């Protein structure tokens, strides 16, 4: 059956070739014996006059690639990085991440050309490139410190919300490795917090401040103030995000957090109908409770535990709070 799929992939008609590529993407694995037979098909379709035919081959390659296929195909992919068609450059950049996972040495070969895509004029290609570097940085951020000047320039200039979010995520990974970087980020982060109308970008900027900035800076106070707005939002999803991030805030910036106001908000949040949000609220309550408000917290937990099924989480939180030496 797998050989028949390869035969269908090799036909010249796009309408026939397409289901063949789809079938191989779904059914082929690294261990598929006929996988190596696809190498010449990929090379042929990479040179097709139709960008959609080439794009289809790139998609398939990202799903079935093995180290052996990568070693034979990497030169062709590097050529596609310089394609005049942005559609193909974007698909190639995204495919390369899957290639690097299967064949790590390929990253060293492709790095200079991949880095050049950070100067690409097409927003789709640029976003794909930043996203690829983000995923690579999750594996080993130190390897990408040399990209900081280019990434910083993009962050300052871009008006693309999705790209901004990806860049902020990258800087959260790089900042702990470069002591000078947090100070450099203060200006663009302050600008984002004060001007952006996109809540997704604003929240990511707040998270970047919480994770990268030292205690006692003005931008930390601004970020916590903005986070309070999320916590008071009528949107359940925004409240959940704020509660979850507040766990990091109270751990790192406890002196700058209004625990009295936060305590009351958390007690209200334990009555959320969303089980996940309630669990986060209980975890946060366990971190901020103190001798002065312990009795009130226990009373509220006991009251709500009688109405909630199951109530193990409420009882567990009470026991955890009581067990600590306060």
């Amino acid at each position: 059956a797998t050989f028949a799929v390869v035969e269908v992939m090799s036909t010249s008609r796009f309408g026939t070739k397409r289901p063949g590529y789809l079938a191989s993407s779904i059914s082929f694995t690294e261990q598929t014996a006929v996988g190596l037979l696809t190498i010449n098909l990929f090379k042929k379709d990479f040179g097709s006059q139709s960008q959609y035919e080439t794009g289809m081959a790139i998609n398939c390659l990202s799903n079935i690639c093995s180290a052996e296929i990568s070693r034979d195909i990497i030169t062709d992919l590097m050529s596609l990085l310089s394609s005049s068609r942005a559609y193909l450059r974007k698909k190639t950049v995204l495919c390369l991440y899957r290639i690097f996972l299967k064949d790590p040495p390929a990253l060293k070969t492709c790095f200079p050309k991949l880095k050049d895509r950070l100067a690409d004029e097409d927003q789709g290609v640029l976003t794909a490139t930043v996203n690829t570097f983000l995923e690579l940085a999750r594996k080993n951020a130190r390897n990408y410190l040399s990209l900081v000047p280019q990434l910083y320039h993009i962050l300052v200039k871009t008006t693309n919300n999705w790209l901004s979010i990806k860049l902020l995520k990258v800087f959260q990974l790089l900042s702990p490795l470069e002591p000078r970087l947090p100070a450099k980020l203060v200006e663009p982060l302050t600008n984002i917090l004060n001007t952006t109308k996109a809540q997704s970008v604003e929240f990511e900027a707040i998270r970047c401040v919480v994770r990268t900035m030292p205690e006692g800076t003005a931008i930390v106070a601004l970020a916590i103030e903005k986070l309070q707005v999320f916590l008071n939002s009528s949107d359940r999803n925004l409240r959940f995000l704020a509660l979850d991030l507040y766990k990091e805030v109270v751990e790192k910036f406890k002196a700058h957090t209004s625990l009295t106001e936060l305590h009351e908000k958390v007690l209200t949040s334990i009555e959320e109908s969303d089980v996940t949000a309630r669990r986060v609220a209980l975890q946060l309550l366990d971190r901020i409770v103190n001798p002065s408000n312990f009795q009130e917290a226990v009373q509220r937990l006991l009251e709500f535990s009688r109405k909630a099924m199951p109530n193990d989480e409420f009882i567990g939180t009470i026991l955890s709070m009581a067990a600590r030496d306060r």
Side-chain angles (χ1 to χ4, degrees):
T2 54
F3 188 78
V5 170
V6 175
E7 283 189 314
V8 175
M9 292 168 66
S10 66
T11 61
S12 58
R13 292 182 66 252
F14 181 79
T16 306
K17 183 190 293 286
R18 187 176 184 181
Y21 269 113
L22 177 60
S24 64
S25 297
I26 295 171
S27 60
F28 285 15
T29 68
E30 288 184 65
Q31 287 73 42
T32 302
V34 299
L36 293 176
L37 298 179
T38 62
I39 293 175
N40 287 330
L41 292 178
F42 287 136
K43 288 177 176 287
K44 175 176 173 289
D45 287 339
F46 285 169
S48 171
Q49 292 299 309
S50 168
Q51 66 176 359
Y52 301 110
E53 200 166 276
T54 303
M56 184 171 61
I58 295 171
N59 285 346
C60 180
L61 174 63
S62 68
N63 285 303
I64 72 172
C65 180
S66 64
E68 291 79 7
I69 294 176
S70 169
R71 283 192 285 270
D72 284 331
I73 212 82
I74 195 67
T75 303
D76 301 85
L77 287 174
M78 287 179 65
S79 297
L80 286 172
L81 280 176
S82 303
S83 170
S84 60
R85 292 173 284 190
Y87 176 82
L88 296 181
R89 297 199 302 275
K90 178 173 68 174
K91 281 189 172 291
T92 303
V93 166
L94 295 173
C95 175
L96 280 172
Y97 174 68
R98 301 295 295 272
I99 297 289
F100 299 152
L101 293 181
K102 303 294 184 181
D103 182 26
L107 174 57
K108 187 174 182 180
T109 304
C110 294
F111 185 81
K113 281 209 150 188
L114 187 59
K115 181 181 177 182
D116 288 344
R117 292 304 97 213
L118 289 174
D120 202 294
E121 294 181 357
D122 184 87
Q123 284 292 297
V125 178
L126 179 57
T127 303
T129 306
V130 171
N131 188 67
T132 295
F133 278 124
L134 169 61
E135 296 306 318
L136 291 170
R138 293 188 200 277
K139 304 289 183 183
N140 186 353
R142 193 171 296 278
N143 288 344
Y144 307 99
L145 284 172
S146 62
L147 301 177
V148 166
Q150 282 177 277
L151 295 173
Y152 179 85
H153 177 75
I154 298 169
L155 178 65
V156 171
K157 297 294 183 181
T158 188
T159 56
N160 183 318
N161 291 338
W162 185 247
L163 180 56
S164 295
I165 290 170
K166 294 297 181 181
L167 288 163
L168 291 169
K169 287 179 182 291
V170 173
F171 282 121
Q172 289 170 45
L173 297 171
L174 298 180
S175 290
L177 305 175
E178 172 50 75
R180 296 168 295 179
L181 186 53
K184 186 73 173 174
L185 288 173
V186 168
E187 184 177 346
L189 285 173
T190 302
N191 184 54
I192 290 172
L193 289 173
N194 285 326
T195 62
T196 187
K197 295 180 180 179
Q199 290 181 314
S200 55
V201 177
E202 182 180 8
F203 182 79
E204 200 58 52
I206 293 169
R207 181 154 53 188
C208 188
V209 171
V210 170
R211 292 181 176 176
T212 64
M213 295 297 163
E215 190 172 7
T217 53
I219 193 172
V220 169
L222 175 62
I224 293 175
E225 179 185 332
K226 297 285 186 179
L227 185 59
Q228 188 69 39
V229 176
F230 279 84
L231 189 62
N232 294 325
S233 171
S234 58
D235 187 312
R236 182 185 301 170
N237 293 320
L238 296 181
R239 292 200 305 272
F240 169 78
L241 289 171
L243 282 169
D244 195 44
L245 186 55
Y246 253 115
K247 291 191 296 184
E248 297 180 43
V249 171
V250 298
E251 198 73 33
K252 189 175 179 182
F253 307 115
K254 201 162 188 176
H256 297 271
T257 309
S258 177
L259 294 182
T260 303
E261 187 176 346
L262 178 60
H263 180 262
E264 185 56 39
K265 192 65 183 177
V266 172
L267 285 177
T268 303
S269 299
I270 63 172
E271 300 183 17
E272 289 273 7
S273 57
D274 187 318
V275 175
T276 308
R278 194 164 63 221
R279 185 175 297 123
V280 171
L282 287 170
Q283 292 170 353
L284 183 55
L285 178 64
D286 189 23
R287 298 185 187 194
I288 65 174
V289 76
N290 56 50
S292 65
N293 56 33
F294 174 72
Q295 187 173 349
E296 180 193 0
V298 170
Q299 185 177 351
R300 292 280 289 273
L301 287 174
L302 287 173
E303 287 174 1
F304 192 68
S305 68
R306 296 189 186 102
K307 298 181 286 183
M309 291 297 291
N311 61 9
D312 295 356
E313 291 179 331
F314 298 97
I315 304 303
T317 301
I318 293 172
L319 293 173
S320 175
M321 293 188 302
R324 289 200 302 270
D325 180 18
R326 298 187 181 279

